[in-house]
Amino acid sequence: MTPAGAEALWGPKIPDYRPRFPTHVHAGIAILGSGQIARAAHLPAYRQYGLDVRGVWSHSQASTELVREQFPFVHRVYNSPEELLADPDVTVVDIATRVEHRHHWLEAAIAAGKHVLAQKPLGTDPDALVPLIERAEAAGLCVAVNQNARWAPVWRLATLLVDQGAIGGAVGVTHVLDKPLPPIVGTHFDEIPHMLISDYLVHWTDITRCWLGNKQVTSVRARDGRVPGQPVSAKNPWTATVQFECGDGATAVLRVVGDVRTHSPSCPFWIHGTEGTVRGSILGREFVELERGDATHRYAVDGAWFVDGFAGAMGELLCAIDEGRQPYHSARNNLATLRLTHAALRSAEMSGAAQEVDLSL
């Protein structure tokens, strides 16, 4: 059933949520850092969509050997990052190193005249990134942040429905992570202070900001803590709640339950608006549903966050380069996500005290 007024608002057919690529521009991609995320998501996505990966570099010989074995479409393995940055066949550098090294490699890639797709979070200090972003823009370079969840099929479709006015203005956004946490104990993620807020939830913070549109988030509250049964060896809290408040009264809540025991893991979400509601789920039981007036429509969605989201993030960067514009997930745009994340961190360190935020670019 098609909701009343659907054709006038967003057309009779489902919006195209699939990754998009330029049709007449060739761009060579090089990946700086070939650890687990590069091998599990970046390279499979680029292989699936036929992108040209000129080469990779990793400080780990073991990672390099795995790339050679698993991804023979990659043209070469560089002996050093300097060799990668000097390669004239490389148009885009995909920075997949740990966050503490990203500022350095971002600066080096810009100096080498390369466009960049960098992992999230882009850095640890939003203000320190501004001069680099300005330098890249002055040089006509695109710097994008790998907020690949924006192109996860379910979230991408939800975003398009919101952007096309399907629910009117956003009133509230709610996320519940009804799934077990990934392995954290013994990994470098367990060494990151308030890891759920500073790293794990960044994708949820970012997509929430997208769904709130032009609304001004004015304050953030966040708390995290340990849960019953959490092992002593786990350094980080396993539960967290983040709340955003907007100047017009709209709100958002992100809730990580923690040690979830379920046979049907998922991450349900709701986007309530003045004229309707979009609801759905990602990472398990995936669907998108639009309720407007007396009608409800559930959309059939193909694909998955891994790997379509990663392909979409690179595809949007390549399209932006081709079309001479800044990408949707530009570093300048992403500064607001980073500032929200840092405000949430400050709040968590102050036992949930509200933190004012200024997201002006």
Side-chain angles (χ1 to χ4, degrees), residues 3 40 62 72 87 135 170 207 212 226 241 251 260 274 296 306 318 359:
D87 187 345
R135 194 179 312 163
I207 200 67
L212 290 173
R226 302 180 72 85
T241 301
T251 59
V260 175
T274 56
T296 299
F306 288 69
L318 298 180
L359 302 185

Side-chain angles (χ1 to χ4, degrees), residues 68-337:
R68 291 182 189 274
E69 294 172 9
Q70 298 173 3
F71 304 100
F73 78 101
V74 175
H75 291 271
R76 62 184 291 191
V77 172
Y78 297 98
N79 294 316
S80 69
E82 291 76 19
E83 184 180 30
L84 181 155
L85 293 171
D87 187 345
D89 291 331
V90 172
T91 305
V92 174
V93 176
D94 185 349
I95 300 176
T97 61
R98 293 185 182 181
V99 64
E100 57 266 28
H101 305 305
R102 283 178 204 151
H103 190 284
H104 169 77
W105 293 124
L106 176 59
E107 188 171 33
I110 293 170
K114 309 295 186 182
H115 303 283
V116 174
L117 179 67
Q119 269 289 19
K120 64 80 188 169
L122 186 57
T124 57
D125 182 354
D127 292 336
L129 291 166
V130 174
L132 280 180
I133 293 170
E134 292 175 344
R135 194 179 312 163
E137 291 173 346
L141 298 173
C142 293
V143 175
V145 181
N146 203 346
Q147 296 286 176
N148 42 76
R150 294 192 188 190
W151 286 271
V154 165
W155 278 2
R156 180 61 178 159
L157 177 54
T159 300
L160 293 171
L161 291 170
V162 171
D163 288 350
Q164 294 176 15
I167 62 169
V171 172
V173 176
T174 306
H175 294 277
V176 178
L177 280 75
D178 181 25
K179 62 186 291 292
L181 293 172
I184 298 172
V185 177
T187 72
H188 78 276
F189 290 106
D190 212 11
E191 306 295 332
I192 301 173
H194 303 282
M195 188 281 295
L196 291 179
I197 295 169
S198 61
D199 192 284
Y200 188 61
L201 280 175
V202 170
H203 282 305
W204 279 262
T205 296
D206 183 73
I207 200 67
T208 297
R209 189 174 66 81
C210 293
W211 292 343
L212 290 173
N214 294 324
K215 295 179 182 292
Q216 295 298 312
V217 178
T218 55
S219 68
V220 178
R221 296 176 185 268
R223 296 182 70 102
D224 57 3
R226 302 180 72 85
V227 301
Q230 182 175 336
V232 175
S233 57
K235 299 178 181 179
N236 252 287
W238 279 10
T239 185
T241 301
V242 181
Q243 298 173 275
F244 304 140
E245 296 183 2
C246 299
D248 67 348
T251 59
V253 178
L254 288 58
R255 171 78 170 129
V256 180
V257 178
D259 191 20
V260 175
R261 308 299 173 92
T262 176
H263 294 293
S264 302
S266 65
C267 294
F269 63 88
W270 297 260
I271 315 168
H272 292 98
T274 56
E275 299 179 36
T277 297
V278 169
R279 61 175 61 85
S281 178
I282 197 168
L283 296 178
R285 292 183 285 161
E286 300 205 356
F287 74 95
V288 180
E289 184 175 275
L290 170 64
E291 182 179 342
R292 184 183 172 94
D294 296 328
T296 299
H297 184 80
R298 181 172 288 213
Y299 297 92
V301 182
D302 295 322
W305 183 345
F306 288 69
V307 296
D308 297 277
F310 289 79
M314 179 58 77
E316 165 59 10
L317 173 58
L318 298 180
C319 286
I321 294 168
D322 177 33
E323 296 162 10
R325 58 174 174 83
Q326 286 297 311
Y328 173 55
H329 51 337
S330 71
R332 183 175 291 279
N333 174 279
N334 197 248
L335 281 176
T337 295

